[in-house]
Amino acid sequence: MMKNYLILLLAFIPFFSIQATEFEPYTMPNTQVVPIKNHHQHGQYELLIKLPDEYDKDPKRRFPVIYYTDAVWHIDFLTSATRFLMEDAILVGISWQKDIDKATKAEAVEYASRFRDYTAVSSKDKVRQSKYQFGQAKLHLAFIRDEVIPTVEKLYRTLPQQRTYFGYSLGGQFGVYALAAQPDTFNHYILGSPALGGSVDYLSELLSKQKQLKANVFISYGDQEARLKTHVDALLSKLNAHKQSHLSLTHEVMEGDHAQAVAMTVARGISWLSNL
């Protein structure tokens, strides 16, 4: 009995000795990584470009573009949604800063730059403000307008009049800032559970200064996001009251909390966009 057991054990040793690192990593088809320098904040970023399957079949055809923040978090969701709902879209994911100070990165995380880049106002917490440098959305928007969009439109066959922005949580706050500060940056905005927090008054003031708002806007949050709902509803009131507004505004409530609502937000947002 013992002899048979040892023979069986020895037979499985080669199998268990295989290391996971010996397998090739999977690469997403039709996806390219484009390095790009942010000269406004002097940092290195990457663009994750996902091209539609039809891109190479007709060299004269141009495509709508969906720009989105938090690139590595959302590329899978957006790839799946567009594959079934809007297969002709080019996806452009904007990464977090790649060369962020090593000490800061160790203390925070690889996505530390999102707190700085996606927020419109500084934090009242002096310790957090010193660490994360909140409130630099203006510079990040300048980076997107001056460097990201021109780079994409130079390298790829795009439809400049069909630019969409997708952002979730702090990325949603950044989208609201872009809409309030320079609404012509994008034609369509998908803003999922925008974490507005203490920025509502500032963003509302920016909106009131816009002589004309013209865009298609989709805003959502989860039905278990009570605190966030209060802030977003206040913003929706401002948008609906804007005298010179030419917004097409869609508001939907998803099931779940902040983490659970993201998948449905992507699906409903892309479905909304594909029907415009």
Side-chain angles (χ1 to χ4, degrees), residues 20-252:
T21 54
E22 295 180 22
F23 299 111
E24 292 185 8
Y26 176 75
T27 302
M28 184 177 288
N30 297 332
T31 303
Q32 302 170 359
V33 179
V34 178
I36 186 168
K37 183 77 173 179
N38 181 341
H39 292 95
H40 291 276
Q41 293 165 306
H42 308 289
Q44 188 66 42
Y45 288 72
E46 289 178 346
L47 304 179
L48 304 186
I49 311 291
K50 178 68 171 65
L51 298 174
D53 293 340
E54 300 291 316
Y55 187 82
D56 291 328
K57 293 186 177 181
D58 183 353
K60 295 183 179 180
R61 184 178 176 185
R62 294 184 173 273
F63 297 81
V65 183
I66 301 173
Y67 294 85
Y68 62 99
T69 42
D70 292 318
V72 298
W73 285 350
H74 299 315
I75 188 171
D76 293 330
F77 277 140
L78 287 167
T79 295
S80 296
T82 53
R83 181 69 180 82
F84 292 101
L85 299 170
M86 194 175 171
E87 60 183 358
D88 64 341
I90 297 174
L91 298 177
V92 177
I94 305 167
S95 78
W96 308 306
Q97 185 179 338
K98 304 298 292 184
D99 58 348
I100 197 164
D101 180 77
K102 292 182 178 179
T104 304
K105 192 172 182 180
E107 290 176 8
V109 273
E110 61 177 337
Y111 52 82
S113 62
R114 73 190 298 268
F115 300 113
R116 176 196 68 200
D117 291 346
Y118 304 167
T119 54
V121 298
S122 300
S123 173
K124 294 180 180 179
D125 185 324
K126 293 182 179 180
V127 175
R128 283 173 57 79
Q129 179 61 30
S130 176
K131 183 176 182 180
Y132 293 112
Q133 302 297 307
F134 290 90
Q136 296 188 35
K138 181 177 181 179
L139 291 176
H140 200 61
L141 182 59
F143 163 55
I144 290 174
R145 288 175 63 93
D146 299 342
E147 300 174 63
V148 172
I149 292 175
T151 296
V152 171
E153 294 186 349
K154 179 181 178 181
L155 294 176
Y156 303 96
R157 302 192 309 275
T158 70
L159 290 170
Q161 70 277 22
Q162 289 294 332
R163 292 190 206 126
T164 299
Y165 172 79
F166 172 88
Y168 193 84
S169 193
L170 283 184
Q173 180 185 149
F174 179 76
V176 173
Y177 173 77
L179 177 65
Q182 294 183 292
D184 64 334
T185 306
F186 304 99
N187 309 98
H188 319 296
Y189 292 79
I190 302 175
L191 310 173
S193 296
L196 301 177
S199 66
V200 174
D201 291 341
Y202 173 72
L203 292 171
S204 296
E205 183 180 352
L206 274 184
L207 284 167
S208 67
K209 293 179 179 179
Q210 282 293 341
K211 294 182 178 180
Q212 188 178 63
L213 282 174
K214 185 178 180 181
N216 299 304
V217 182
F218 177 98
I219 299 182
S220 67
Y221 50 68
D223 59 7
Q224 296 178 30
E225 297 188 272
R227 184 178 179 184
L228 186 148
K229 174 184 182 298
T230 301
H231 297 141
V232 175
D233 285 351
L235 180 77
L236 288 169
S237 296
K238 294 290 184 181
L239 289 172
N240 286 318
H242 197 287
K243 294 181 179 179
Q244 299 299 322
S245 176
H246 293 275
L247 293 178
S248 173
L249 187 60
T250 299
H251 173 222
E252 293 195 17

Side-chain angles (χ1 to χ4, degrees), residues 8-21:
L8 184 63
L9 181 62
L10 289 172
F12 277 93
I13 285 177
F15 175 80
F16 287 114
S17 67
I18 296 175
Q19 300 296 313
T21 54

